[in-house]
Amino acid sequence: PEEYYGYFKKYAEAGIDVLSVSISSKISSTYNVAVSAAERVSAEYPERRIHCVDSLRMSGSMGLLVMYALELQKKGATMEEVIDWLESNKLRVHQMGPIDDLIFVARRGRISMGKAIMGSFAGVKPMGDCNRDGYVTVITKAKGMKKALTATVAYAKELATNVEDQYLLIVHSNREAYAETLREKL
């Protein structure tokens, strides 16, 4: 909370309004912490606008929303227009891909350790996306990375519109070979 407060206050003191975009409030308390800090700073600097957006997304999909917000700002959109765009479009941004390590999923309490060990041994790759409520839900399972990447491409084709006019991010956690294969497939 103090870090958010410090950043927001720094900008408020400089006469700059703030738009904060946070990871889904359903999987992190970051949004609530940002709102609390914004309220504190707004009480001290009522002339400044500090607005917090719950992206209902995570990782790359949240980053994509921030990229579009910055693009709108650079084109001259007002803060209110950017906020409206984010609120209207945040559920249209998707993030899908294989979960490589089921042990991580078990540690988070989503499945039993036994299922994680057996699923990992069998090469099962659950694949999720953020739902409308901001939670990650499994939408399919693939056996093996090759099938998982093929399923990712199919999912992108199913949901994407006007692909030529959009950003498509490939986000990975130290899996460059898989990311490059996915880029080629896409």
Side-chain angles (χ1 to χ4, degrees), residues 129-141:
D129 191 3
C130 287
N131 64 21
R132 299 188 67 74
D133 298 321
Y135 291 105
V136 177
T137 56
V138 173
I139 52 178
T140 191
K141 294 175 188 169

Side-chain angles (χ1 to χ4, degrees), residues 91-96 129-130 139 152-163 166:
L91 298 180
R92 295 180 63 213
V93 176
H94 297 275
Q95 176 174 326
M96 193 267 214
D129 191 3
C130 287
I139 52 178
T152 302
V153 172
Y155 190 68
K157 284 181 181 179
E158 177 186 329
L159 295 176
T161 55
N162 301 326
V163 176
Q166 297 183 38

